[in-house]
Amino acid sequence: MSLLLVPTREEEAADMIRAAAEAKRSLAISGGNTRSGFGQQVEAQGVLRSAGLSGIVAYDPAEMVLTARAGTPVSEIEEALAENGQMLAFEPMDHRAVMGTVGEPTIGGIFATNTSGPRRFVAGAARDSLLGVRYINGRGEVLRAGGRVMKNVTGLDLVKLLAGSFGTLGFLTEVTFRVLPRPQDQRTIILSGLDDGEAARAMAIAMSLSVEVSGAAHLPESVRGRFLNGNLSDGPATVLRLEGLAASVAVRAQKLVATLQSLAPISQLEAEESRVLWQEIRDVKPYADGTMKPLWRVSVAPTSGFQLVAALRLQAGIDCFYDWQGGLLWMRMESEPEGELVRHVMHQTGGGHATLVRASDDMRATENAFEPLPAAVLALQARVKQQLDPAGIFNPGKMARS
Amino acid sequence: MSDVISFLPPREKVLARRSTIIADLADLLPADCLVHEPRELVPFETDAFVAYRRLPLAVVLPHNTAQVAAVLKYCHRYGVPVVPRGAGTSLCGGAIPQEDAVVIGLSKMSRILEVDFANRTATVQAGVTNLSISDTVGPEGYFYAPDPSSQLACTIGGNIAMNSGGAHCLKYGVTTNNLLGVKMVLMDGTVIDLGGKHLDSAGYDLLGLVCGSEGQLGIVTEATVRLIAKPEGARPVLFGFTSSEEAGACVADVIGAGIIPVAIEFMDKPAIEICEAFAKAGYPLDVEALLIVEVEGSEAEMEAMLSSIVEIARRHGVKTVRESQSATEAALIWKGRKSAFGATGRIADYICMDGTVPLSKLSYVLKRTSEIVEGFGLRVANVFHAGDGNMHPLILFNANDPVEAAKAEAAGNEILKLCVDAGGCLTGEHGVGIEKRDLMLHQYTRAELDQQIRVREAFDSQWLLNPSKVFPLDGRPQTAGAV
């Protein structure tokens, strides 16, 4: 078993990293370790966890900004926000059910993996809410990037670079992010019986209206029964979420229904059920199935999603559903990951990127979890990594299979 | 104005080869793409930060990405600095050239390549103006959200370089939040694509790093941006207050109440007078501070939101509340605000600051700003984006008086330090350029700046891209021509 490091102070973490860099001792970086199945397997000589750096540092609801140490449990953040009627706009997914992991997800882990949920396609990803960080680079220097204000173009935006770098560029010790008022009301409009292509068209129409749809997903017949304890109406369900002041939601729902009612039978979910449904979509409930069947997360242009699926179905056994107006595919493979095939078909239908979120250890060893990059971008990325982590000690191999 | 901001000394070897370089560029490009006669170079010698100017060695105006790549590859090979240029509207000197540099202007690359309504994207060349995107997609009910005041002239390439904001970013975010992909040329001429019509990146978020990098990492030649369905309606409302403090407290309470209007703009009395004299927008002249609050949505939504805002404003003793009654009136209200810089320029020379502060510090920073400027015996007008704390004090002075000019610059520097000390930053949307370059160590430690510099070097190890900007000249690595 490798050395486990759980610093409780930033300077302590810096010392540990400096010592590791000097000894060229690699470190697997993690927060609550609930998402570590994501990406390539890391072979490291030590484990550095942020869990000991915990607690909310500053939170003034009137400023809509919160600062917390990286190892703060997400549940603690969400509680504090809920008390003040606020939320994380990007609606981060909880990976535990789908990955079969236990433990407490951390706020640092959310940003290190740029984890977002259904509202991402209109409200931005985790990286869009992240205003500033404190982090330790591979030389063991404690540094800041960004700040605590919403508009800041002072110098290079290393905040974006660190968000979604999966602990390969630096060890986050503190994050400052924007929060938003929780909508007073919400409801979901359900169109029943559309096939994948018709659903994509219906969602595009919904997004063209000035009704501010904040969730647009298509749940084909095969997954429908897994939502709301099987209480979603029969047939494939195309679901559209509206959020805001109660009066606005009612007015916008009317407008949406009036435009879409010629396409399919329509029903509605009131606030409480709507909230549950979107949380289940966020956490990929249909594939929280207790298996390690390969699960892909594929991001493409919204109108390409169903074409990719149709083309892929001719060659592989898949089950899938769509979020982000059809541009985010959650795809469970029947047996093998078939990464090459998935990516080949994706590029033929317009491009994007496919990430293997879950697979058995054997499969992860032979599959590229992240989208392989063109040589020029890969070289650039390697140079950037070299500049932040010259000794190459942070999460070696996490983002690219060697 | 006093020339206190220095540029890198020109590379003698490059200056000595001037005629060869021009001849070589002439071989690489069609004749209409090269400008090198000194008289014709004058329009490129500065940008909207007019106090500083330098004639470049030459200007190239490519038609396509391949030509940009050819020029960069050439400059890389021979160690010639390059300065990218969009419309030259930078307020921080981001596009000011230097004597040994080739300016690469994107003005000929101004085509909208594709509009895809089903996916809500537009793919455009970098020289397309900001406003022309919204103008193109407007008839179909869409718009492109970031709206800097210079949007009629400024280009999307420049917006990406500076991560531009605008009045409406409180709700819709700034450029980086609305940018899906770019095609860019690296310094060695390699062309790469980052992002696309899909969301999020494969690998590191290089797109996020490139946005706002002020031409230090490469030259963006095409961009894919997010389009948004236009709201059913939008209505700006004027709120006049008897003090700046009350206006500031009203902003904090509106946000604290969970109401996010699409824009909250603040003007103090000097700014109101200047803008009203110019735009005749009907701004009240008997108040000390004015908020322009814009709400949007259906009639019912706007009514609901406005009544909450009015109630909060009344608690802060609002003196005037005026809703725009027509589209013309609404446009006039915005015209007044958006012409603030131009209108100020008619009555005096000015420099415009751009620091951002936490919302809780707005009143304090406003008060200190006035004290600082008065301390130098000058006047200040404040117009800014109150909802996100992005301040724009305009310091008025007479540019023909070198003493006054130096005072204005000194006052500006003190205000920026004040913003940083209040927990904010030097620049919210204008960029660092040369203007704020030498203040960077007030915001960042040497180690923090060095980390940024090292990341920059991953893209341009020879420091050829816009080399006099962003990073203080002192303390740079040898390769950067440290002084």
Side-chain angles (χ1 to χ4, degrees):
Chain A
M1 183 60 201
S2 56
L3 187 63
L4 176 65
L5 304 169
V6 190
T8 53
R9 289 177 304 111
E10 199 173 50
E11 308 79 63
E12 193 186 353
D15 288 343
M16 291 167 173
I17 289 169
R18 218 173 297 121
E22 276 163 22
K24 304 252 178 227
R25 195 172 63 239
S26 56
L27 297 170
I29 307 290
S30 71
N33 221 19
T34 64
R35 295 171 226 273
S36 55
F38 212 123
Q40 308 301 148
Q41 275 167 308
V42 174
E43 297 282 341
Q45 291 144 295
V47 174
L48 177 61
R49 297 191 58 186
S50 67
L53 302 166
S54 183
I56 292 172
V57 176
Y59 175 32
D60 178 355
E63 284 189 349
M64 301 195 295
V65 173
L66 193 151
T67 300
R69 294 193 183 87
T72 310
V74 177
S75 55
E76 188 180 326
I77 305 275
E78 289 188 330
E79 227 167 87
L81 292 175
E83 273 174 30
N84 291 282
Q86 296 188 328
M87 63 172 190
L88 297 169
F90 55 94
E91 217 175 358
M93 169 184 181
D94 183 340
H95 281 81
R96 282 176 293 187
V98 93
M99 314 278 286
T101 52
V102 290
E104 279 293 318
T106 63
I107 193 68
I110 297 254
F111 288 108
T113 55
N114 193 26
T115 292
S116 313
R119 208 182 285 109
R120 187 270 172 266
F121 81 128
V122 290
R127 58 85 108 170
D128 293 288
S129 285
L130 188 61
L131 302 176
V133 298
R134 292 176 69 89
Y135 69 105
I136 303 171
N137 66 9
R139 300 163 180 242
E141 295 171 323
V142 178
L143 306 172
R144 298 164 304 161
R148 54 180 279 234
V149 289
M150 279 167 224
K151 277 166 89 180
N152 182 355
V153 296
T154 321
L156 291 184
D157 192 351
L158 299 190
V159 174
K160 298 286 186 302
L161 184 64
L162 288 161
S165 64
F166 288 82
T168 62
L169 299 180
F171 178 64
L172 296 179
T173 59
E174 187 184 284
V175 290
T176 297
F177 46 94
R178 188 182 185 197
V179 299
L180 280 184
R182 186 179 294 266
Q184 188 186 65
D185 192 20
Q186 69 167 290
R187 92 172 56 169
T188 294
I189 309 293
I190 306 174
L191 284 71
S192 298
L194 299 179
D195 68 27
D196 295 4
E198 291 166 343
R201 280 186 288 279
M203 289 189 282
I205 292 170
M207 294 311 296
S208 75
L209 303 174
S210 43
V211 296
E212 297 190 31
V213 169
S214 73
H218 177 62
L219 316 172
E221 182 69 43
S222 63
V223 298
R224 178 190 57 83
R226 297 277 297 159
F227 291 100
L228 297 178
N229 292 318
N231 287 329
L232 213 51
S233 52
D234 281 347
T238 310
V239 293
L240 302 165
R241 178 174 61 182
L242 299 171
E243 297 175 291
L245 300 170
S248 317
V249 169
V251 171
R252 289 192 256 136
Q254 262 178 6
K255 189 172 171 184
L256 192 56
V257 170
T259 310
L260 298 177
Q261 61 190 0
S262 62
L263 301 180
I266 288 180
S267 53
Q268 298 194 26
L269 297 179
E270 295 303 315
E272 201 172 323
E273 271 193 311
S274 173
R275 211 164 277 134
V276 175
L277 174 68
W278 286 97
Q279 186 169 335
E280 291 176 350
I281 292 171
R282 182 194 79 178
D283 294 343
V284 195
K285 179 108 188 280
Y287 307 133
D289 49 10
T291 75
M292 286 305 274
K293 282 187 184 175
L295 180 65
W296 288 98
R297 181 183 184 274
V298 186
S299 178
V300 296
T303 56
S304 306
F306 76 94
Q307 297 173 34
L308 189 167
V309 169
L312 197 56
R313 281 222 165 101
L314 300 175
Q315 302 179 68
I318 60 167
D319 193 61
C320 85
F321 74 92
Y322 306 80
D323 197 354
W324 298 355
Q325 191 198 326
L328 180 70
L329 307 178
W330 286 104
M331 244 168 33
R332 184 183 62 188
M333 312 303 284
E334 212 32 67
S335 50
E336 294 300 311
E338 316 239 29
E340 261 180 55
L341 176 66
V342 168
R343 288 177 171 131
H344 175 70
V345 173
M346 182 183 73
H347 289 294
Q348 280 190 325
T349 50
H353 58 98
T355 310
L356 184 62
V357 172
R358 178 183 74 187
S360 70
D361 288 351
D362 286 355
M363 292 172 184
R364 288 173 66 200
T366 55
E367 196 64 70
N368 289 308
F370 293 100
E371 188 66 27
L373 299 168
V377 179
L378 197 62
L380 196 53
Q381 186 159 296
R383 291 202 297 275
V384 167
K385 159 92 174 163
Q386 166 73 24
Q387 300 288 24
L388 276 132
D389 175 22
I393 57 168
F394 290 144
N395 270 350
K398 177 82 175 177
M399 290 191 80
R401 201 157 56 92
S402 47
Chain B
M1 185 186 238
S2 56
D3 224 16
V4 295
I5 302 174
S6 47
F7 284 64
L8 286 170
R11 299 179 184 216
E12 292 298 336
K13 271 193 201 157
V14 173
L15 293 182
R17 294 183 64 248
R18 183 172 190 273
S19 50
T20 314
I21 293 168
I22 288 169
D24 289 346
L25 291 172
D27 284 345
L28 286 175
L29 299 167
D32 67 327
C33 295
L34 179 63
V35 179
H36 62 87
E37 294 294 342
R39 189 172 42 83
E40 292 173 353
L41 291 174
V42 172
F44 299 92
E45 68 177 355
T46 189
D47 54 22
F49 191 59
V50 293
Y52 292 83
R53 53 195 68 216
R54 293 281 186 282
L55 273 189
L57 188 152
V59 174
V60 296
L61 303 168
H63 290 281
N64 53 48
T65 301
Q67 288 172 353
V68 173
V71 172
L72 281 179
K73 191 174 174 190
Y74 174 83
C75 291
H76 182 248
R77 182 166 172 201
Y78 293 103
V80 182
V82 297
V83 175
R85 186 181 181 95
T89 56
S90 173
L91 291 163
C92 64
I96 299 179
Q98 53 192 53
E99 296 88 338
D100 57 352
V102 172
V103 168
I104 301 187
L106 278 294
S107 57
K108 287 191 202 294
M109 293 183 65
S110 58
R111 275 190 306 133
I112 291 184
L113 300 172
E114 190 204 7
V115 175
D116 179 347
F117 290 117
N119 287 314
R120 289 174 294 116
T121 63
T123 301
V124 304
Q125 289 184 318
V128 159
T129 63
N130 172 294
L131 190 60
S132 68
I133 301 178
S134 287
D135 281 349
T136 302
V137 301
E140 299 290 330
Y142 293 87
F143 74 111
Y144 172 62
D147 61 339
S149 294
S150 56
Q151 68 184 138
L152 189 64
C154 66
T155 64
I156 200 74
N159 290 178
I160 292 167
M162 291 303 180
N163 189 14
S164 304
H168 291 82
C169 48
L170 184 56
K171 179 166 178 187
Y172 295 111
V174 295
T175 303
T176 193
N177 312 114
N178 289 278
L179 180 67
L180 295 170
V182 297
K183 184 183 284 299
M184 74 181 278
V185 187
L186 302 178
M187 189 59 221
D188 66 0
T190 309
V191 179
I192 62 170
D193 289 290
L194 300 173
K197 289 184 184 178
H198 55 274
L199 295 175
D200 299 332
S201 56
Y204 295 150
D205 188 358
L206 298 179
L207 182 64
L209 180 63
V210 163
C211 192
S213 63
E214 305 201 17
Q216 302 272 305
L217 305 184
I219 296 190
V220 169
T221 57
E222 290 178 16
T224 299
V225 299
R226 179 170 80 129
L227 303 176
I228 300 174
K230 275 198 275 193
E232 205 169 299
R235 190 180 304 155
V237 182
L238 297 175
F239 294 89
F241 291 86
T242 48
S243 78
S244 290
E245 284 74 19
E246 275 168 337
C250 179
V251 171
D253 281 1
V254 167
I255 302 275
I259 302 167
I260 312 247
V262 65
I264 308 180
E265 297 290 298
F266 177 106
M267 303 170 100
D268 66 4
K269 195 174 180 81
I272 299 167
E273 284 169 357
I274 291 167
C275 292
E276 179 60 19
F278 176 76
K280 312 268 185 301
Y283 294 167
L285 294 169
D286 58 345
V287 297
E288 288 299 314
L290 187 66
L291 295 179
I292 303 172
V293 180
E294 182 158 283
V295 294
E296 59 178 32
S298 64
E299 200 57 40
E301 284 175 273
M302 291 195 290
E303 281 304 324
M305 207 179 268
L306 272 177
S307 67
S308 309
I309 296 171
V310 169
E311 198 187 305
I312 292 168
R314 296 228 187 279
R315 287 211 295 275
H316 292 283
V318 67
K319 193 171 168 190
T320 317
V321 179
R322 257 234 347 270
E323 288 186 30
S324 56
Q325 302 298 332
S326 66
T328 320
E329 211 176 320
L332 207 53
I333 286 177
W334 276 114
K335 186 186 169 205
R337 163 61 187 91
K338 290 210 171 188
S339 61
F341 296 179
T344 306
R346 287 157 54 103
I347 62 156
D349 300 298
Y350 69 91
I351 51 173
C352 172
M353 299 292 111
D354 175 44
T356 305
V357 299
L359 292 181
S360 59
K361 297 287 170 57
L362 271 181
S363 297
Y364 162 74
V365 171
L366 266 177
K367 190 159 153 280
R368 279 291 299 139
T369 295
S370 298
E371 287 167 9
I372 289 170
V373 178
E374 279 161 20
F376 282 95
L378 298 174
R379 285 187 302 149
V380 64
N382 279 290
V383 279
F384 62 91
H385 312 305
D388 48 33
N390 189 192
M391 321 268 297
H392 289 316
L394 302 170
I395 304 169
L396 312 183
F397 70 104
N398 174 5
N400 293 323
D401 176 349
V403 177
E404 220 173 73
K407 280 182 180 172
E409 216 167 293
N413 286 351
E414 273 200 40
I415 291 170
L416 292 183
K417 288 180 180 175
L418 166 71
C419 290
V420 173
D421 295 343
C425 65
L426 294 173
T427 171
E429 57 184 4
H430 294 174
V432 176
I434 55 165
E435 185 198 20
K436 284 149 262 175
R437 184 192 68 201
D438 297 332
L439 293 173
M440 286 289 268
L441 278 165
H442 195 79
Q443 180 167 338
Y444 294 110
T445 64
R446 186 73 243 175
E448 286 163 354
L449 216 48
D450 284 346
Q451 184 60 75
Q452 291 187 27
I453 284 173
R454 285 199 294 273
V455 170
R456 186 204 183 285
E457 291 195 317
F459 288 76
D460 173 26
S461 58
Q462 294 185 64
W463 286 75
L464 296 173
L465 281 159
N466 218 5
S468 287
K469 317 291 166 64
V470 184
F471 298 105
L473 304 184
D474 283 332
R476 287 186 180 189
Q478 284 300 317
T479 45
V483 290

